[in-house]
Amino acid sequence: MNQILFKERLAPEVYRMRVRAPLIAEERKPGQFIILQLDTEFGERIPLTIADADVQEGSITIIFQVAGKSTKLLAGMEPGQKIANLVGPLGRPTHIEQFGTVVCVGGGIGMAPLYPIAQGMKEAGNRLIVIIGARTKELVILEPEMRALADEVIICTDDGSYGRKGLVTEPLQELCAQGAKPDLAVAIGPPLMMKFCSLATRPFGVPTVVSLNTIMIDGTGMCGGCRVTVGGKTKFVCVDGPEFDGHQVDFDQMIQRLGSYREQERIAAAGCNLHAEAVRKGLQE
Amino acid sequence: MSWRSPDELRATARVEWARIQALAQPVKARDRLAIPPQEMPAQEPLARARNMQEVALGYFEEQARVEAVRCLQCKNAPCVAGCPVRIDIPRFIAAIASGEMAKAIAIIKETSLLPAVCGRVCPQETQCQEPCTVGKSHKRVDKAVSIGRLERYVADWERAQGAAPPAVAPATGKKVAVVGSGPAGITVAADVRRAGHAVVLFEAFHKPGGVLVYGIPEFRLPKSIVQAELDTLKQMGVEIRTNFLVGRTRKLTDLLAKDGFDAVFIGSGAGLPKFMNIEGENLVGVYSANEYLTRSNLMKAYDRVHAVTPIHAAQRVAVLGGGNVAMDAARTALRLGAREVHLIYRRTEVEMPARVEEVAHAREEGVQFHLLQNAKRILGENGKVTGIECLRYELGEPDASGRRRPVEIPGSEFQMPMDAVIVAIGNESNPLIEQTTPGLAVDKYGHIVTDENGCTSIPNVFAGGDIVLGAATVILAMGEGRRAAAAINRLLAG
Ligand SMILES: Cc1cc2nc3c(=O)[nH]c(=O)nc-3n(C[C@H](O)[C@H](O)[C@H](O)COP(=O)(O)OP(=O)(O)OC[C@H]3O[C@@H](n4cnc5c(N)ncnc54)[C@H](O)[C@@H]3O)c2cc1C
Ligand SMILES: Cc1cc2nc3c(=O)[nH]c(=O)nc-3n(C[C@H](O)[C@H](O)[C@H](O)COP(=O)(O)OP(=O)(O)OC[C@H]3O[C@@H](n4cnc5c(N)ncnc54)[C@H](O)[C@@H]3O)c2cc1C
Ligand code: SF4
Ligand code: SF4
Ligand code: FES
């Protein structure tokens, strides 16, 4: 169980892995995620979306970006090695039906969670438009996979090194402004990008689903660490989400909460625990 | 209560024991009543407030035997009625008095499977020790026979001897799934396995033990004790599957229909933390007690050299609530380095649901109590907690339960600077299993409805512990587990 079967680098600091997890492969649906931990005594529990699954092989695919200590360690693991703990599938599956035209917008690593949703939307008979956004050409991931699925693919890079130069919100807004506006938008990526995508679709009344990547611990509704405000109410991302109505999410608060541990994470990622200890002592003095 | 060193307590007990030996035997009731209650040896308060080791160190043998002689061996034994699982208290205490520790633990184990845990965490002053005749004669419940400490003593004694696991009946070919590895699940697994059925214990977390592992801190319940119980289960042949969330990894109904389980027990605990729904509750630095304690206990965030999981190094911490969970959070905050910890509770100390010993320990360690006060909003700057605004209360008319209800004093708002706030005002039930199990009946609070045998609305599916009772106690969870296990064993035998 949890053995890494395959590993590949998709872009600088972005990896794809297939991991043996037959039960999860069988049960998982688009929109769901797993939580993994690399060391039972001291490891952090980190959530990652199930980007794909192969029931035959009994494997799931994860695609992750190196963000800090745990993802860095994971990136250093090789096929044959085992992930100490892996639990899932967690969260509510995406609501998939035939809406008509669905535009899927992915920013950076957000393409990973977006892919199974796009797949599901296509299978349900929707016309599928995919907008891929990245800082620069080499960070564009899953383009071939999306081209194989979608009726139309639009690529945007911040620096114009590939596709259109500019932010994903621009083509999104253009699509919404057309006579035949999309029936649903799904936007997944950094919180700021989801915030602006939601602001872009709002004036046109295009329902917009976002997938929130809050900090999590248990992922089963027990700790409340993943809470966000949606429509003025407190919701737990791990059990009520991870997908919510983007027009209702309090993104500013979420962004603040994601930054909770920035200083400690920076130190942990630097790999020097003794230094971390010294700094924390300093904080206490 | 001022702290006395363990050596001093032991020396005093030795003198007392010699004095008792010199009395006319058997010791008369009047002489028994004159024996002073034996204090629990504990780590020195200021030292322990900065370490994670167990606070209460356990009786010395001399103390246990002196304390046991305090018991009057009442014919009607009112203490037994106070124990939710009816341990034969006078009989096990008499065995301790005569130095027969193996016999004492055997008597307890006729009824309870987790004496090392319950001896430590039961709210004895409202259960077995509340009606104790000795306490009543002194008109003080804290002078009752220390039943819990004696229970702990013999349980620890047995563990130190390295007891063999209970015998398991020959295999029956039947298979039982137990969901959740807290006290309810551990109990069911043991009792069902003893009858010869195969048992798989499913746990969502990466470590089994439930609240005993992720909630109650090391300084109150060493994890090695819980581990010993789990090791015993493994030796008995129980399979423990961690990282398995029933309802998601596998539907409960599939366990029965597809995976060949003949019965399922649900002991999934309380779950979902309640928040106060006040302004500022989502600021950075506001935690539910569940999150705070899980980070510290399960993820070992207190071990700052090894752990990866971060936790705020807060200087001034407010804890909202007055139960065991609140005390655990407050005392954990001290151990994580907080300079000041303020516990804010709406009623008075008398109404606090926490164990009396935990309240006393928290005070000794320097937790500051703010009674008849409640948080009105949490103040913040740049998204981070900077303080708390509270309101004062006074006691009004008694409510339906007979407790005087706290009423707010208008205009009494005041503010205190804080850099973390921990909300410990209780839990709601986790709806995951209910949502993914069609036909499972729950009440309006989301608690699973069961009959007197722990059977749910679905045949062959049983439930017990916090998911049935709401946030309750370890001993009640264990008691429910035993009842359900007996019913499962009857079902599978028939
Ligand atoms: C439901 C869900 C699905 C996710 N799916 C993916 C995915 O498919 N691929 C992927 O690369 N990432 C995904 N994430 C984000 C991923 O969990 C974090 O990048 C990871 O936890 C960072 O861990 P770390 O130890 O490497 O970094 P840390 O040192 O812990 O953190 C580095 C940075 O990441 C932020 N961060 C910390 N923890 C989280 C967290 N749990 N979620 C989001 N940001 C966090 C911190 O604020 C910090 O700025 C998902 C998150 C959620 C909640
Ligand atoms: C901080 C704290 C302090 C406490 N102090 C005391 C005390 O001093 N004295 C006392 O008597 N009581 C105390 N309690 C209460 C006591 O711990 C609980 O009443 C008791 O643990 C309930 O036992 P349980 O077996 O029902 O559930 P739990 O101990 O809650 O265990 C349930 C387990 O099930 C797992 N689970 C949940 N859902 C699933 C699923 N779908 N699939 C697989 N696994 C699942 C959970 O991860 C958990 O490990 C305290 C509680 C807390 C939180
Ligand atoms: S189990 Fe709890 S209530 Fe019962 S005798 Fe032991 S300490 Fe008392
Ligand atoms: S009530 Fe007290 S004195 Fe009487 S048997 Fe029970 S423990 Fe002993
Ligand atoms: S991660 Fe703990 S409640 Fe969601």
Side-chain angles (χ1 to χ4, degrees), chain A residues 216-247:
Chain A
M216 291 191 178
I217 301 173
D218 58 312
T220 65
M222 187 276 288
C223 76
C226 61
R227 64 194 189 279
V228 288
T229 305
V230 181
K233 291 211 179 74
T234 294
K235 296 276 177 191
F236 293 176
V237 172
C238 68
V239 285
D240 299 322
E243 286 160 27
F244 294 96
D245 175 354
H247 297 151

mmCIF file of all heavy atoms in Angstrom, chain A residues 216-247:
data_model
loop_
_atom_site.group_PDB
_atom_site.id
_atom_site.type_symbol
_atom_site.label_atom_id
_atom_site.label_comp_id
_atom_site.label_asym_id
_atom_site.label_seq_id
_atom_site.Cartn_x
_atom_site.Cartn_y
_atom_site.Cartn_z
ATOM 1 N N MET A 216 -5.233 22.251 6.478
ATOM 2 C CA MET A 216 -6.055 21.166 7.041
ATOM 3 C C MET A 216 -5.227 20.318 7.992
ATOM 4 O O MET A 216 -4.012 20.260 7.869
ATOM 5 C CB MET A 216 -6.553 20.255 5.920
ATOM 6 C CG MET A 216 -7.566 20.910 5.035
ATOM 7 S SD MET A 216 -8.325 19.700 3.953
ATOM 8 C CE MET A 216 -9.487 20.774 3.124
ATOM 9 N N ILE A 217 -5.910 19.639 8.888
ATOM 10 C CA ILE A 217 -5.215 18.694 9.758
ATOM 11 C C ILE A 217 -5.820 17.306 9.604
ATOM 12 O O ILE A 217 -5.221 16.431 9.013
ATOM 13 C CB ILE A 217 -5.251 19.152 11.219
ATOM 14 C CG1 ILE A 217 -4.598 20.531 11.302
ATOM 15 C CG2 ILE A 217 -4.488 18.171 12.103
ATOM 16 C CD1 ILE A 217 -4.724 21.157 12.619
ATOM 17 N N ASP A 218 -7.036 17.135 10.108
ATOM 18 C CA ASP A 218 -7.622 15.797 10.053
ATOM 19 C C ASP A 218 -8.314 15.532 8.723
ATOM 20 O O ASP A 218 -8.301 14.413 8.233
ATOM 21 C CB ASP A 218 -8.620 15.603 11.199
ATOM 22 C CG ASP A 218 -9.715 16.649 11.157
ATOM 23 O OD1 ASP A 218 -9.383 17.837 11.025
ATOM 24 O OD2 ASP A 218 -10.895 16.275 11.214
ATOM 25 N N GLY A 219 -8.980 16.546 8.187
ATOM 26 C CA GLY A 219 -9.712 16.349 6.938
ATOM 27 C C GLY A 219 -11.008 15.590 7.117
ATOM 28 O O GLY A 219 -11.612 15.143 6.148
ATOM 29 N N THR A 220 -11.469 15.445 8.357
ATOM 30 C CA THR A 220 -12.712 14.705 8.600
ATOM 31 C C THR A 220 -13.754 15.533 9.356
ATOM 32 O O THR A 220 -14.752 15.006 9.801
ATOM 33 C CB THR A 220 -12.451 13.425 9.410
ATOM 34 O OG1 THR A 220 -11.972 13.804 10.715
ATOM 35 C CG2 THR A 220 -11.426 12.535 8.760
ATOM 36 N N GLY A 221 -13.487 16.831 9.517
ATOM 37 C CA GLY A 221 -14.482 17.673 10.177
ATOM 38 C C GLY A 221 -14.263 17.811 11.669
ATOM 39 O O GLY A 221 -15.109 18.357 12.373
ATOM 40 N N MET A 222 -13.131 17.350 12.178
ATOM 41 C CA MET A 222 -12.954 17.303 13.621
ATOM 42 C C MET A 222 -12.284 18.544 14.200
ATOM 43 O O MET A 222 -12.530 18.903 15.337
ATOM 44 C CB MET A 222 -12.158 16.041 13.954
ATOM 45 C CG MET A 222 -12.011 15.715 15.398
ATOM 46 S SD MET A 222 -10.667 16.574 16.185
ATOM 47 C CE MET A 222 -9.270 15.758 15.488
ATOM 48 N N CYS A 223 -11.413 19.214 13.424
ATOM 49 C CA CYS A 223 -10.580 20.246 14.047
ATOM 50 C C CYS A 223 -11.021 21.678 13.772
ATOM 51 O O CYS A 223 -10.714 22.585 14.536
ATOM 52 C CB CYS A 223 -9.130 20.081 13.624
ATOM 53 S SG CYS A 223 -8.774 20.646 11.946
ATOM 54 N N GLY A 224 -11.719 21.907 12.681
ATOM 55 C CA GLY A 224 -12.156 23.269 12.383
ATOM 56 C C GLY A 224 -11.054 24.157 11.835
ATOM 57 O O GLY A 224 -11.273 25.339 11.586
ATOM 58 N N GLY A 225 -9.871 23.610 11.622
ATOM 59 C CA GLY A 225 -8.757 24.418 11.129
ATOM 60 C C GLY A 225 -8.962 24.901 9.700
ATOM 61 O O GLY A 225 -8.397 25.901 9.283
ATOM 62 N N CYS A 226 -9.804 24.192 8.946
ATOM 63 C CA CYS A 226 -9.990 24.509 7.534
ATOM 64 C C CYS A 226 -11.148 25.467 7.319
ATOM 65 O O CYS A 226 -11.621 25.629 6.204
ATOM 66 C CB CYS A 226 -10.271 23.210 6.775
ATOM 67 S SG CYS A 226 -11.767 22.386 7.350
ATOM 68 N N ARG A 227 -11.637 26.102 8.392
ATOM 69 C CA ARG A 227 -12.882 26.858 8.236
ATOM 70 C C ARG A 227 -12.714 28.115 7.388
ATOM 71 O O ARG A 227 -11.680 28.772 7.402
ATOM 72 C CB ARG A 227 -13.503 27.181 9.593
ATOM 73 C CG ARG A 227 -12.696 28.084 10.477
ATOM 74 C CD ARG A 227 -13.263 28.045 11.900
ATOM 75 N NE ARG A 227 -12.665 29.063 12.754
ATOM 76 C CZ ARG A 227 -11.491 28.923 13.351
ATOM 77 N NH1 ARG A 227 -10.792 27.822 13.182
ATOM 78 N NH2 ARG A 227 -11.012 29.893 14.112
ATOM 79 N N VAL A 228 -13.765 28.413 6.644
ATOM 80 C CA VAL A 228 -13.823 29.620 5.820
ATOM 81 C C VAL A 228 -15.218 30.209 5.985
ATOM 82 O O VAL A 228 -16.131 29.532 6.446
ATOM 83 C CB VAL A 228 -13.630 29.305 4.316
ATOM 84 C CG1 VAL A 228 -12.196 28.932 4.009
ATOM 85 C CG2 VAL A 228 -14.579 28.224 3.848
ATOM 86 N N THR A 229 -15.358 31.472 5.601
ATOM 87 C CA THR A 229 -16.685 32.075 5.641
ATOM 88 C C THR A 229 -17.260 32.064 4.230
ATOM 89 O O THR A 229 -16.649 32.576 3.302
ATOM 90 C CB THR A 229 -16.601 33.499 6.188
ATOM 91 O OG1 THR A 229 -15.945 33.448 7.457
ATOM 92 C CG2 THR A 229 -17.984 34.094 6.381
ATOM 93 N N VAL A 230 -18.406 31.433 4.096
ATOM 94 C CA VAL A 230 -19.074 31.370 2.793
ATOM 95 C C VAL A 230 -20.501 31.868 2.994
ATOM 96 O O VAL A 230 -21.238 31.312 3.810
ATOM 97 C CB VAL A 230 -19.103 29.927 2.241
ATOM 98 C CG1 VAL A 230 -19.786 29.893 0.873
ATOM 99 C CG2 VAL A 230 -17.699 29.358 2.139
ATOM 100 N N GLY A 231 -20.860 32.938 2.283
ATOM 101 C CA GLY A 231 -22.198 33.504 2.451
ATOM 102 C C GLY A 231 -22.462 33.896 3.891
ATOM 103 O O GLY A 231 -23.568 33.717 4.399
ATOM 104 N N GLY A 232 -21.419 34.381 4.585
ATOM 105 C CA GLY A 232 -21.596 34.839 5.967
ATOM 106 C C GLY A 232 -21.606 33.715 6.991
ATOM 107 O O GLY A 232 -21.708 33.957 8.185
ATOM 108 N N LYS A 233 -21.526 32.475 6.529
ATOM 109 C CA LYS A 233 -21.556 31.351 7.481
ATOM 110 C C LYS A 233 -20.201 30.655 7.505
ATOM 111 O O LYS A 233 -19.502 30.595 6.507
ATOM 112 C CB LYS A 233 -22.593 30.319 7.040
ATOM 113 C CG LYS A 233 -24.014 30.791 7.158
ATOM 114 C CD LYS A 233 -24.912 29.570 7.465
ATOM 115 C CE LYS A 233 -26.362 29.962 7.632
ATOM 116 N NZ LYS A 233 -27.019 30.294 6.356
ATOM 117 N N THR A 234 -19.855 30.082 8.681
ATOM 118 C CA THR A 234 -18.608 29.329 8.784
ATOM 119 C C THR A 234 -18.809 27.938 8.189
ATOM 120 O O THR A 234 -19.756 27.238 8.524
ATOM 121 C CB THR A 234 -18.177 29.212 10.258
ATOM 122 O OG1 THR A 234 -17.863 30.518 10.724
ATOM 123 C CG2 THR A 234 -16.954 28.317 10.407
ATOM 124 N N LYS A 235 -17.919 27.574 7.278
ATOM 125 C CA LYS A 235 -17.982 26.244 6.651
ATOM 126 C C LYS A 235 -16.630 25.564 6.824
ATOM 127 O O LYS A 235 -15.598 26.234 6.883
ATOM 128 C CB LYS A 235 -18.257 26.372 5.151
ATOM 129 C CG LYS A 235 -19.598 26.981 4.828
ATOM 130 C CD LYS A 235 -20.669 25.913 4.863
ATOM 131 C CE LYS A 235 -22.035 26.541 4.612
ATOM 132 N NZ LYS A 235 -23.117 25.583 4.886
ATOM 133 N N PHE A 236 -16.649 24.225 6.894
ATOM 134 C CA PHE A 236 -15.417 23.457 6.973
ATOM 135 C C PHE A 236 -15.095 22.927 5.575
ATOM 136 O O PHE A 236 -15.869 22.150 5.007
ATOM 137 C CB PHE A 236 -15.573 22.286 7.942
ATOM 138 C CG PHE A 236 -15.738 22.703 9.383
ATOM 139 C CD1 PHE A 236 -15.980 21.759 10.362
ATOM 140 C CD2 PHE A 236 -15.640 24.039 9.768
ATOM 141 C CE1 PHE A 236 -16.128 22.124 11.701
ATOM 142 C CE2 PHE A 236 -15.776 24.414 11.095
ATOM 143 C CZ PHE A 236 -16.032 23.449 12.064
ATOM 144 N N VAL A 237 -13.955 23.335 5.031
ATOM 145 C CA VAL A 237 -13.620 22.972 3.653
ATOM 146 C C VAL A 237 -13.541 21.457 3.473
ATOM 147 O O VAL A 237 -13.968 20.917 2.461
ATOM 148 C CB VAL A 237 -12.304 23.655 3.217
ATOM 149 C CG1 VAL A 237 -11.847 23.139 1.854
ATOM 150 C CG2 VAL A 237 -12.489 25.162 3.171
ATOM 151 N N CYS A 238 -13.020 20.748 4.486
ATOM 152 C CA CYS A 238 -12.785 19.310 4.291
ATOM 153 C C CYS A 238 -14.068 18.502 4.204
ATOM 154 O O CYS A 238 -14.083 17.460 3.562
ATOM 155 C CB CYS A 238 -11.891 18.758 5.399
ATOM 156 S SG CYS A 238 -12.644 18.740 7.020
ATOM 157 N N VAL A 239 -15.125 18.928 4.865
ATOM 158 C CA VAL A 239 -16.361 18.145 4.811
ATOM 159 C C VAL A 239 -17.489 18.861 4.070
ATOM 160 O O VAL A 239 -18.326 18.220 3.445
ATOM 161 C CB VAL A 239 -16.866 17.710 6.213
ATOM 162 C CG1 VAL A 239 -16.013 16.576 6.744
ATOM 163 C CG2 VAL A 239 -16.892 18.869 7.183
ATOM 164 N N ASP A 240 -17.530 20.186 4.123
ATOM 165 C CA ASP A 240 -18.571 20.918 3.388
ATOM 166 C C ASP A 240 -18.113 21.194 1.963
ATOM 167 O O ASP A 240 -18.903 21.530 1.094
ATOM 168 C CB ASP A 240 -18.901 22.245 4.080
ATOM 169 C CG ASP A 240 -19.422 22.050 5.488
ATOM 170 O OD1 ASP A 240 -20.184 21.089 5.702
ATOM 171 O OD2 ASP A 240 -19.060 22.838 6.381
ATOM 172 N N GLY A 241 -16.811 21.121 1.723
ATOM 173 C CA GLY A 241 -16.232 21.441 0.425
ATOM 174 C C GLY A 241 -15.498 20.253 -0.140
ATOM 175 O O GLY A 241 -15.918 19.133 0.121
ATOM 176 N N PRO A 242 -14.395 20.438 -0.854
ATOM 177 C CA PRO A 242 -13.647 21.697 -0.982
ATOM 178 C C PRO A 242 -14.248 22.712 -1.968
ATOM 179 O O PRO A 242 -13.765 23.819 -2.047
ATOM 180 C CB PRO A 242 -12.272 21.226 -1.488
ATOM 181 C CG PRO A 242 -12.564 19.971 -2.240
ATOM 182 C CD PRO A 242 -13.712 19.322 -1.513
ATOM 183 N N GLU A 243 -15.338 22.346 -2.688
ATOM 184 C CA GLU A 243 -15.852 23.294 -3.677
ATOM 185 C C GLU A 243 -16.985 24.127 -3.105
ATOM 186 O O GLU A 243 -17.851 23.624 -2.393
ATOM 187 C CB GLU A 243 -16.303 22.520 -4.917
ATOM 188 C CG GLU A 243 -15.094 22.033 -5.710
ATOM 189 C CD GLU A 243 -15.416 20.880 -6.639
ATOM 190 O OE1 GLU A 243 -16.568 20.765 -7.066
ATOM 191 O OE2 GLU A 243 -14.494 20.099 -6.919
ATOM 192 N N PHE A 244 -16.948 25.409 -3.429
ATOM 193 C CA PHE A 244 -17.980 26.326 -2.959
ATOM 194 C C PHE A 244 -18.347 27.302 -4.064
ATOM 195 O O PHE A 244 -17.630 27.430 -5.059
ATOM 196 C CB PHE A 244 -17.480 27.116 -1.749
ATOM 197 C CG PHE A 244 -17.237 26.291 -0.528
ATOM 198 C CD1 PHE A 244 -15.953 25.831 -0.233
ATOM 199 C CD2 PHE A 244 -18.272 25.947 0.325
ATOM 200 C CE1 PHE A 244 -15.714 25.051 0.882
ATOM 201 C CE2 PHE A 244 -18.048 25.167 1.455
ATOM 202 C CZ PHE A 244 -16.762 24.721 1.737
ATOM 203 N N ASP A 245 -19.438 28.025 -3.840
ATOM 204 C CA ASP A 245 -19.865 29.089 -4.745
ATOM 205 C C ASP A 245 -18.896 30.266 -4.593
ATOM 206 O O ASP A 245 -18.863 30.925 -3.553
ATOM 207 C CB ASP A 245 -21.294 29.489 -4.348
ATOM 208 C CG ASP A 245 -21.798 30.683 -5.140
ATOM 209 O OD1 ASP A 245 -21.004 31.267 -5.916
ATOM 210 O OD2 ASP A 245 -22.981 31.027 -4.971
ATOM 211 N N GLY A 246 -18.120 30.512 -5.633
ATOM 212 C CA GLY A 246 -17.098 31.557 -5.588
ATOM 213 C C GLY A 246 -17.662 32.938 -5.291
ATOM 214 O O GLY A 246 -16.956 33.799 -4.764
ATOM 215 N N HIS A 247 -18.921 33.147 -5.602
ATOM 216 C CA HIS A 247 -19.504 34.466 -5.358
ATOM 217 C C HIS A 247 -19.815 34.691 -3.884
ATOM 218 O O HIS A 247 -20.141 35.790 -3.475
ATOM 219 C CB HIS A 247 -20.775 34.645 -6.210
ATOM 220 C CG HIS A 247 -20.479 34.611 -7.688
ATOM 221 N ND1 HIS A 247 -21.391 34.169 -8.613
ATOM 222 C CD2 HIS A 247 -19.368 34.935 -8.385
ATOM 223 C CE1 HIS A 247 -20.848 34.224 -9.822
ATOM 224 N NE2 HIS A 247 -19.613 34.691 -9.712
#
